[in-house]
Amino acid sequence: MKLHELTFSEIRHGLSTGTFSAHDLVESALDRIESVDSSLNAFIRVRDRENALAEADEIDAVRVRGGKLGPLAGIPVAVKDNISTRGLGTTCASRILAGYDPPYDATAVERLRNAGAIVVGKTNLDEFAMGSSNENSAYGPVRNPWDSNRVPGGSSGGSAAAVAAGEAVLALGTDTGGSVRQPAGFCGIVGVKPSYGRVSRYGLVAFASSFDQIGTMSRDVEGAAEFLTAISGSDHRDATASDVDVQQYTSPVTGDLRGVRIGIPQESIGEGVDREIAEAVQGAADAMRSLGADVDTLSLEHSKYAIASYYLIADAEASSNLARYDGVKYGHRASGVGELDEIIAKTRSEGFGPEVKRRIMLGTYALAAGYYDDYYLRAQRVRSLIVDDFTRAFERFDAILTPTSPTPAFRLGEHVDDPLAMYLSDIFTVPANLAGIAALSMPCGLSGAGLPIGLQITVDRFVEPTMFRIAREYEAALDLRLRAPDVNGMGQCG
Ligand code: GLN
């Protein structure tokens, strides 16, 4: 087994027994980036090799001395490029932030560094995290490691592809409407959107502030759990970061889910969902039942309005958040213009890509006097109904099982001219953002064409331990961890 194929738990074991060092691991990640990233395009910026290896050597030296090391000591981690890193730049995959270098690290990055992780680079994304395919990037699309003609999902497509292809062991992503879970599903890895408030948003470039959360991407559930424990918790620099106790999210495998009540929404295995995806989710439910869980169906009746509500509110918040890019404070400034309003207009027309412009216009429209009640306010009312659906559901169930997406990874270019079709691929992921609750995507099989299928486990706010327990037991029972495909000879699955 090659180093870049190992899961977090295998790596932790290997490091503690001295089978390999942090130096070996970081070297393997950087070598892997060198050999496959020209095909994948998962990274916007790669860390300087000498610096990264020097950090690894320090960790190895502490280990040899028997000193105290953090829970992620020596683990190569990639960071989505809308999360601030001092000295590594932060572009949000937008021309408007070209050349911008944040003066500080995001809290999540500071915490992962304090836990001993080693940042290997910044990953590609849809511009400002707006998209579901990673095709809206000023740095070009990312390719799915399972099939180079397919998208990796988005917007955290670079982070998902990097973890699936062994360019990093763990990666930070961000999830506003599914951007951690959908690409995790498309690339056959584990992606977690924590409860709103679980992870500080300080240093995360704002898209839609009432939904945005930083989340984890890994090749196994244990990696996700350890990573989330390390980056969670209150932060005086983000008033929405909750002070609810951070738990140790890793739990031992017991082979037992007795007493756990799992609900499957009728709506999620019906019309519009690929048959093989519905079957894979049913298969996962059966496996959980044989571990002792009680499985039953339920209805989330307002979920059919989730996409409309999400895209209205998200765009309204985005139009306000993105007003700060005026050519004065950050990154790009248009040249050859005189007056301030001309500078702002030209900078924004040159700097933003078409999807970002579409969202700013839609959002501004929805907030305009005369339309506010009909659009923005109505979308917020629908959001409350969706929250109520979940509140009722969690009286009867501990967790809700759905597909992560209605189809496996689609082809590059398949939805670019049809924004609505692109938005619809978020149908199962946006409800958790609207409600502020937690959800995890993990592999539950392969499609007939050999593409990963994602299973989503959703729980109530701050009930992450139950989510991880179910995921861990299911992963252990089925050994469904998918191995990174052969990206060197990047194939086509069909
Ligand atoms: N696909 C969704 C959108 O484009 C979600 C994006 C995200 O979670 N950042 O808004």
Side-chain angles (χ1 to χ4, degrees):
M1 184 77 56
K2 303 189 188 80
L3 276 188
H4 71 257
E5 289 178 355
L6 300 182
T7 61
F8 180 84
S9 33
E10 291 161 344
I11 284 170
R12 193 151 61 171
H13 182 73
L15 279 174
S16 64
T17 54
T19 316
F20 45 80
S21 64
H23 185 106
D24 298 334
L25 272 178
V26 171
E27 194 157 54
S28 134
L30 293 171
D31 287 348
R32 188 77 180 150
I33 294 173
E34 231 168 70
S35 70
V36 302
D37 211 58
S38 53
S39 327
L40 290 177
N41 198 28
F43 282 84
I44 288 179
R45 182 145 179 191
V46 181
R47 178 89 185 279
D48 171 75
R49 183 175 281 259
E50 229 172 274
N51 279 338
L53 287 174
E55 251 177 57
D57 290 340
E58 264 172 50
I59 284 173
D60 288 331
V62 176
R63 197 181 301 276
V64 168
R65 279 204 305 275
K68 194 170 157 27
L69 285 170
L72 302 179
I75 305 288
V77 177
V79 177
K80 185 177 179 181
D81 208 22
N82 60 346
I83 302 174
S84 302
T85 45
R86 194 181 47 208
L88 272 180
T90 294
T91 66
C92 292
S94 179
R95 276 187 297 274
I96 213 158
L97 279 178
Y100 169 64
D101 199 5
Y104 57 87
D105 278 338
T107 299
V109 171
E110 189 180 279
R111 288 186 180 163
L112 70 85
R113 286 199 164 127
N114 289 342
I118 297 174
V119 175
V120 291
K122 300 296 296 286
T123 55
N124 205 343
L125 65 151
D126 284 297
E127 186 176 1
F128 283 102
M130 298 176 187
S132 312
S133 69
N134 219 124
E135 291 165 295
N136 304 332
S137 164
Y139 295 83
V142 178
R143 290 173 185 271
N144 190 314
W146 291 80
D147 178 346
S148 59
N149 290 323
R150 296 195 183 247
V151 303
S155 62
S156 314
S159 287
V163 169
E167 297 173 300
V169 176
L170 303 172
L172 284 182
T174 64
D175 194 310
T176 302
S179 279
V180 161
R181 291 160 287 155
Q182 185 252 25
F186 280 9
C187 291
I189 61 166
V190 178
V192 175
K193 183 206 94 73
S195 306
Y196 187 78
R198 183 66 304 180
V199 179
S200 166
R201 291 180 297 117
Y202 180 74
L204 159 63
V205 179
F207 159 14
S209 310
S210 75
F211 301 132
D212 296 340
Q213 266 297 286
I214 292 178
T216 65
M217 309 182 89
S218 56
R219 292 196 281 275
D220 59 357
V221 177
E222 188 175 333
E226 280 291 347
F227 199 9
L228 188 61
T229 301
I231 61 172
S232 291
S234 63
D235 180 5
H236 68 275
R237 294 164 297 189
D238 172 9
T240 64
S242 167
D243 54 11
V244 167
D245 276 351
V246 177
Q247 309 196 22
Q248 178 51 256
Y249 294 123
T250 315
S251 54
V253 176
T254 59
D256 182 4
L257 281 178
R258 261 174 305 177
V260 178
R261 300 161 304 163
I262 293 175
I264 304 190
Q266 288 295 322
E267 301 83 0
S268 72
I269 43 176
E271 213 186 320
V273 180
D274 278 11
R275 198 172 46 87
E276 50 188 1
I277 291 203
E279 280 168 10
V281 172
Q282 285 290 3
D286 292 343
M288 291 174 190
R289 198 180 271 124
S290 38
L291 290 168
D294 297 319
V295 183
D296 206 348
T297 52
L298 79 150
S299 172
L300 291 172
E301 59 172 317
H302 298 96
S303 54
K304 55 178 175 292
Y305 305 119
I307 294 267
S309 162
Y310 166 81
Y311 274 94
L312 263 160
I313 300 170
D315 292 0
E317 293 186 12
S319 71
S320 151
N321 273 325
L322 270 61
R324 74 192 69 183
Y325 305 106
D326 53 10
V328 177
K329 294 190 285 292
Y330 312 94
H332 176 71
R333 177 180 305 169
S335 56
V337 273
E339 298 299 321
L340 183 62
D341 53 351
E342 281 174 334
I343 297 180
I344 296 175
K346 190 156 181 247
T347 299
R348 287 169 71 83
S349 336
E350 287 174 0
F352 291 134
E355 181 63 22
V356 173
K357 286 179 183 158
R358 180 178 5 252
R359 305 239 184 160
I360 292 174
M361 285 190 282
L362 283 171
T364 308
Y365 184 84
L367 289 174
Y371 297 111
Y372 183 92
D373 288 6
D374 279 349
Y375 294 111
Y376 185 72
L377 205 63
R378 189 173 291 186
Q380 290 287 18
R381 291 214 176 98
V382 172
R383 183 179 191 175
S384 303
L385 294 173
I386 287 168
V387 171
D388 293 345
D389 278 358
F390 278 116
T391 307
R392 272 192 300 276
F394 289 127
E395 280 163 11
R396 282 178 59 209
F397 297 102
D398 300 303
I400 295 170
L401 222 55
T402 61
T404 306
S405 308
T407 66
F410 43 89
R411 289 192 165 75
L412 280 152
E414 197 172 325
H415 294 331
V416 273
D417 297 324
D418 187 353
L420 198 57
M422 189 76 91
Y423 297 171
L424 284 172
S425 76
D426 301 334
I427 186 131
F428 298 127
T429 51
V430 293
N433 302 80
L434 286 160
I437 57 185
L440 169 151
S441 174
M442 66 187 294
C444 69
L446 288 178
S447 72
L451 295 164
I453 297 177
L455 171 76
Q456 178 172 247
I457 303 169
T458 304
V459 294
D460 206 355
R461 194 151 179 232
F462 300 121
V463 191
E464 275 88 351
T466 304
M467 176 184 85
F468 282 117
R469 179 179 164 211
I470 297 170
R472 194 93 202 285
E473 296 294 345
Y474 173 62
E475 178 185 66
L478 270 98
D479 194 22
L480 258 176
R481 210 181 50 205
L482 306 179
R483 288 286 172 202
D486 175 19
V487 221
N488 288 319
M490 265 213 312
Q492 266 175 253
C493 299

Short mmCIF file of all heavy atoms in Angstrom, two decimals, residues 80 82 126 128-133 136 154-156 174-181 207 212 310-311 314-315 355 359 422-423 425-426 429-430 433, ligand 1:
data_model
loop_
_atom_site.label_atom_id
_atom_site.label_comp_id
_atom_site.label_asym_id
_atom_site.label_seq_id
_atom_site.Cartn_x
_atom_site.Cartn_y
_atom_site.Cartn_z
N LYS A 80 -9.06 25.01 1.35
CA LYS A 80 -9.81 25.63 0.25
C LYS A 80 -9.43 27.11 0.18
O LYS A 80 -9.30 27.78 1.22
CB LYS A 80 -11.30 25.45 0.52
CG LYS A 80 -12.22 25.94 -0.58
CD LYS A 80 -13.69 25.64 -0.23
CE LYS A 80 -14.67 26.12 -1.28
NZ LYS A 80 -16.07 25.85 -0.89
N ASN A 82 -10.78 29.85 -0.19
CA ASN A 82 -11.58 30.97 0.30
C ASN A 82 -11.43 31.07 1.82
O ASN A 82 -12.21 31.74 2.49
CB ASN A 82 -13.06 30.84 -0.08
CG ASN A 82 -13.69 29.58 0.48
OD1 ASN A 82 -13.00 28.67 0.94
ND2 ASN A 82 -15.02 29.51 0.45
N ASP A 126 -15.15 26.80 -7.00
CA ASP A 126 -15.96 27.71 -7.80
C ASP A 126 -15.76 29.10 -7.23
O ASP A 126 -15.70 29.27 -6.00
CB ASP A 126 -17.45 27.33 -7.69
CG ASP A 126 -17.79 26.10 -8.50
OD1 ASP A 126 -17.65 26.13 -9.72
OD2 ASP A 126 -18.20 25.08 -7.88
N PHE A 128 -15.71 32.32 -5.42
CA PHE A 128 -16.41 32.70 -4.19
C PHE A 128 -17.33 31.60 -3.67
O PHE A 128 -18.34 31.87 -3.02
CB PHE A 128 -17.18 34.02 -4.35
CG PHE A 128 -16.27 35.21 -4.29
CD1 PHE A 128 -15.89 35.86 -5.45
CD2 PHE A 128 -15.75 35.66 -3.08
CE1 PHE A 128 -15.01 36.95 -5.40
CE2 PHE A 128 -14.88 36.73 -3.02
CZ PHE A 128 -14.50 37.39 -4.19
N ALA A 129 -17.02 30.35 -4.02
CA ALA A 129 -17.78 29.18 -3.55
C ALA A 129 -19.18 29.11 -4.15
O ALA A 129 -20.06 28.46 -3.59
CB ALA A 129 -17.82 29.12 -2.01
N MET A 130 -19.38 29.76 -5.29
CA MET A 130 -20.70 29.75 -5.92
C MET A 130 -20.70 28.76 -7.07
O MET A 130 -20.22 29.08 -8.17
CB MET A 130 -21.05 31.14 -6.43
CG MET A 130 -21.13 32.15 -5.30
SD MET A 130 -21.42 33.79 -5.94
CE MET A 130 -21.26 34.75 -4.43
N GLY A 131 -21.24 27.57 -6.81
CA GLY A 131 -21.29 26.59 -7.88
C GLY A 131 -21.34 25.18 -7.32
O GLY A 131 -21.16 24.96 -6.11
N SER A 132 -21.59 24.23 -8.21
CA SER A 132 -21.71 22.83 -7.80
C SER A 132 -20.85 21.93 -8.68
O SER A 132 -21.05 20.73 -8.70
CB SER A 132 -23.16 22.38 -7.91
OG SER A 132 -24.03 23.30 -7.31
N SER A 133 -19.91 22.51 -9.43
CA SER A 133 -19.15 21.68 -10.36
C SER A 133 -17.68 22.08 -10.47
O SER A 133 -16.92 21.43 -11.16
CB SER A 133 -19.77 21.79 -11.76
OG SER A 133 -19.54 23.10 -12.28
N ASN A 136 -16.81 27.14 -12.31
CA ASN A 136 -16.81 28.62 -12.25
C ASN A 136 -15.54 29.14 -11.60
O ASN A 136 -15.60 29.97 -10.70
CB ASN A 136 -17.99 29.12 -11.38
CG ASN A 136 -19.33 28.63 -11.86
OD1 ASN A 136 -19.52 28.38 -13.04
ND2 ASN A 136 -20.28 28.50 -10.93
N GLY A 154 -18.82 20.70 -6.55
CA GLY A 154 -18.35 22.01 -6.11
C GLY A 154 -19.20 22.50 -4.95
O GLY A 154 -20.18 21.86 -4.60
N SER A 155 -18.80 23.54 -4.32
CA SER A 155 -17.69 24.32 -4.79
C SER A 155 -16.32 23.86 -4.28
O SER A 155 -15.31 24.30 -4.82
CB SER A 155 -17.89 25.79 -4.37
OG SER A 155 -17.94 25.91 -2.97
N SER A 156 -16.28 22.97 -3.27
CA SER A 156 -14.97 22.54 -2.75
C SER A 156 -14.40 21.42 -3.60
O SER A 156 -13.91 20.41 -3.07
CB SER A 156 -15.08 22.08 -1.29
OG SER A 156 -15.84 22.97 -0.52
N THR A 174 -15.66 24.41 2.45
CA THR A 174 -16.70 25.23 3.06
C THR A 174 -18.03 24.82 2.45
O THR A 174 -18.09 24.38 1.30
CB THR A 174 -16.48 26.73 2.82
OG1 THR A 174 -16.57 27.01 1.42
CG2 THR A 174 -15.14 27.18 3.35
N ASP A 175 -19.08 24.91 3.26
CA ASP A 175 -20.38 24.40 2.85
C ASP A 175 -21.44 25.44 3.18
O ASP A 175 -21.74 25.70 4.34
CB ASP A 175 -20.65 23.08 3.61
CG ASP A 175 -21.81 22.29 3.04
OD1 ASP A 175 -22.88 22.89 2.84
OD2 ASP A 175 -21.65 21.07 2.82
N THR A 176 -21.97 26.06 2.12
CA THR A 176 -23.02 27.07 2.26
C THR A 176 -24.36 26.47 1.85
O THR A 176 -25.41 26.80 2.40
CB THR A 176 -22.65 28.29 1.38
OG1 THR A 176 -21.38 28.78 1.80
CG2 THR A 176 -23.68 29.40 1.46
N GLY A 177 -24.27 25.56 0.86
CA GLY A 177 -25.48 24.87 0.39
C GLY A 177 -25.18 23.43 -0.01
O GLY A 177 -25.97 22.80 -0.70
N GLY A 178 -24.00 22.94 0.37
CA GLY A 178 -23.65 21.56 0.02
C GLY A 178 -22.24 21.40 -0.49
O GLY A 178 -21.83 20.30 -0.88
N SER A 179 -21.47 22.47 -0.45
CA SER A 179 -20.16 22.48 -1.11
C SER A 179 -19.09 21.60 -0.49
O SER A 179 -18.04 21.42 -1.10
CB SER A 179 -19.63 23.91 -1.18
OG SER A 179 -20.23 24.55 -2.26
N VAL A 180 -19.32 21.06 0.70
CA VAL A 180 -18.42 20.03 1.20
C VAL A 180 -18.99 18.66 0.84
O VAL A 180 -18.30 17.78 0.32
CB VAL A 180 -18.24 20.14 2.73
CG1 VAL A 180 -17.70 18.85 3.31
CG2 VAL A 180 -17.30 21.30 3.07
N ARG A 181 -20.28 18.50 1.08
CA ARG A 181 -20.89 17.15 0.95
C ARG A 181 -21.02 16.69 -0.49
O ARG A 181 -20.75 15.52 -0.79
CB ARG A 181 -22.28 17.16 1.63
CG ARG A 181 -22.18 17.30 3.14
CD ARG A 181 -23.48 17.79 3.74
NE ARG A 181 -23.70 19.20 3.46
CZ ARG A 181 -24.89 19.80 3.43
NH1 ARG A 181 -25.98 19.09 3.63
NH2 ARG A 181 -24.98 21.10 3.19
N PHE A 207 -19.67 34.40 1.92
CA PHE A 207 -20.54 34.27 0.74
C PHE A 207 -21.95 34.55 1.22
O PHE A 207 -22.53 35.60 0.93
CB PHE A 207 -20.31 32.88 0.13
CG PHE A 207 -21.40 32.31 -0.77
CD1 PHE A 207 -22.43 33.10 -1.28
CD2 PHE A 207 -21.36 30.97 -1.12
CE1 PHE A 207 -23.42 32.55 -2.10
CE2 PHE A 207 -22.35 30.42 -1.94
CZ PHE A 207 -23.38 31.21 -2.42
N ASP A 212 -22.94 29.87 5.73
CA ASP A 212 -21.54 29.43 5.59
C ASP A 212 -21.04 28.65 6.81
O ASP A 212 -21.17 29.11 7.95
CB ASP A 212 -20.60 30.66 5.46
CG ASP A 212 -20.84 31.51 4.21
OD1 ASP A 212 -21.44 31.01 3.24
OD2 ASP A 212 -20.38 32.68 4.20
N TYR A 310 -33.30 28.72 -0.66
CA TYR A 310 -31.85 28.86 -0.50
C TYR A 310 -31.26 29.84 -1.50
O TYR A 310 -30.49 30.74 -1.14
CB TYR A 310 -31.16 27.49 -0.65
CG TYR A 310 -29.66 27.62 -0.84
CD1 TYR A 310 -28.82 27.82 0.25
CD2 TYR A 310 -29.09 27.60 -2.11
CE1 TYR A 310 -27.46 27.99 0.08
CE2 TYR A 310 -27.72 27.76 -2.30
CZ TYR A 310 -26.91 27.96 -1.20
OH TYR A 310 -25.56 28.14 -1.38
N TYR A 311 -31.58 29.68 -2.79
CA TYR A 311 -30.92 30.52 -3.79
C TYR A 311 -31.34 31.99 -3.68
O TYR A 311 -30.58 32.89 -4.03
CB TYR A 311 -31.10 29.95 -5.21
CG TYR A 311 -30.01 28.91 -5.50
CD1 TYR A 311 -30.23 27.56 -5.28
CD2 TYR A 311 -28.75 29.31 -5.90
CE1 TYR A 311 -29.21 26.62 -5.48
CE2 TYR A 311 -27.73 28.39 -6.11
CZ TYR A 311 -27.97 27.04 -5.91
OH TYR A 311 -26.95 26.14 -6.11
N ALA A 314 -29.37 33.08 -0.26
CA ALA A 314 -27.92 33.05 -0.45
C ALA A 314 -27.48 34.19 -1.38
O ALA A 314 -26.49 34.88 -1.12
CB ALA A 314 -27.48 31.71 -1.03
N ASP A 315 -28.23 34.41 -2.45
CA ASP A 315 -27.84 35.47 -3.39
C ASP A 315 -28.02 36.86 -2.75
O ASP A 315 -27.22 37.77 -2.99
CB ASP A 315 -28.65 35.38 -4.69
CG ASP A 315 -28.28 34.13 -5.50
OD1 ASP A 315 -27.41 33.36 -5.03
OD2 ASP A 315 -28.85 33.93 -6.58
N GLU A 355 -21.05 33.78 -13.16
CA GLU A 355 -21.97 33.25 -12.13
C GLU A 355 -22.04 34.21 -10.94
O GLU A 355 -23.12 34.46 -10.39
CB GLU A 355 -21.53 31.86 -11.68
CG GLU A 355 -22.43 31.21 -10.62
CD GLU A 355 -23.86 30.95 -11.08
OE1 GLU A 355 -24.11 30.85 -12.31
OE2 GLU A 355 -24.75 30.85 -10.20
N ARG A 359 -25.40 36.17 -9.53
CA ARG A 359 -25.90 36.11 -8.15
C ARG A 359 -26.03 37.51 -7.54
O ARG A 359 -26.97 37.79 -6.82
CB ARG A 359 -24.96 35.27 -7.30
CG ARG A 359 -24.76 33.89 -7.89
CD ARG A 359 -25.15 32.85 -6.99
NE ARG A 359 -24.85 31.54 -7.57
CZ ARG A 359 -24.74 30.46 -6.86
NH1 ARG A 359 -24.90 30.50 -5.57
NH2 ARG A 359 -24.50 29.31 -7.44
N MET A 422 -28.05 23.05 -12.69
CA MET A 422 -26.93 23.02 -11.76
C MET A 422 -27.45 23.20 -10.33
O MET A 422 -27.08 22.46 -9.42
CB MET A 422 -25.96 24.15 -12.11
CG MET A 422 -24.66 24.13 -11.39
SD MET A 422 -23.57 22.87 -12.05
CE MET A 422 -22.67 23.78 -13.30
N TYR A 423 -28.34 24.16 -10.13
CA TYR A 423 -28.87 24.43 -8.79
C TYR A 423 -29.63 23.22 -8.24
O TYR A 423 -29.59 22.92 -7.06
CB TYR A 423 -29.81 25.66 -8.80
CG TYR A 423 -29.16 26.98 -9.19
CD1 TYR A 423 -29.94 28.11 -9.40
CD2 TYR A 423 -27.78 27.10 -9.33
CE1 TYR A 423 -29.36 29.33 -9.76
CE2 TYR A 423 -27.20 28.32 -9.70
CZ TYR A 423 -27.99 29.43 -9.91
OH TYR A 423 -27.43 30.63 -10.27
N SER A 425 -29.01 20.19 -8.51
CA SER A 425 -28.19 19.10 -7.97
C SER A 425 -27.96 19.28 -6.47
O SER A 425 -27.47 18.39 -5.78
CB SER A 425 -26.87 18.96 -8.74
OG SER A 425 -25.98 19.97 -8.38
N ASP A 426 -28.35 20.43 -5.91
CA ASP A 426 -28.17 20.68 -4.47
C ASP A 426 -29.42 20.33 -3.65
O ASP A 426 -29.52 20.68 -2.48
CB ASP A 426 -27.87 22.17 -4.22
CG ASP A 426 -26.62 22.63 -4.93
OD1 ASP A 426 -25.73 21.80 -5.18
OD2 ASP A 426 -26.52 23.84 -5.24
N THR A 429 -28.87 18.73 -0.25
CA THR A 429 -27.88 19.31 0.67
C THR A 429 -28.32 20.65 1.27
O THR A 429 -28.00 20.93 2.42
CB THR A 429 -26.51 19.49 -0.02
OG1 THR A 429 -26.69 20.21 -1.25
CG2 THR A 429 -25.85 18.16 -0.29
N VAL A 430 -29.08 21.47 0.50
CA VAL A 430 -29.40 22.80 1.03
C VAL A 430 -30.30 22.80 2.28
O VAL A 430 -30.17 23.71 3.09
CB VAL A 430 -29.99 23.77 -0.04
CG1 VAL A 430 -28.94 24.11 -1.08
CG2 VAL A 430 -31.21 23.25 -0.69
N ASN A 433 -28.41 23.40 5.46
CA ASN A 433 -27.89 24.77 5.64
C ASN A 433 -29.01 25.71 6.05
O ASN A 433 -28.82 26.60 6.89
CB ASN A 433 -27.24 25.27 4.35
CG ASN A 433 -26.10 24.37 3.89
OD1 ASN A 433 -26.35 23.33 3.29
ND2 ASN A 433 -24.88 24.72 4.21
N1 GLN B 1 -23.99 24.88 -4.98
C1 GLN B 1 -24.42 25.83 -4.01
C2 GLN B 1 -24.32 27.24 -4.55
O1 GLN B 1 -23.82 27.39 -5.63
C3 GLN B 1 -23.65 25.66 -2.74
C4 GLN B 1 -22.38 26.38 -2.70
C5 GLN B 1 -21.67 26.22 -1.39
O2 GLN B 1 -22.05 25.43 -0.54
N2 GLN B 1 -20.65 27.03 -1.22
O3 GLN B 1 -24.73 28.16 -3.92
#
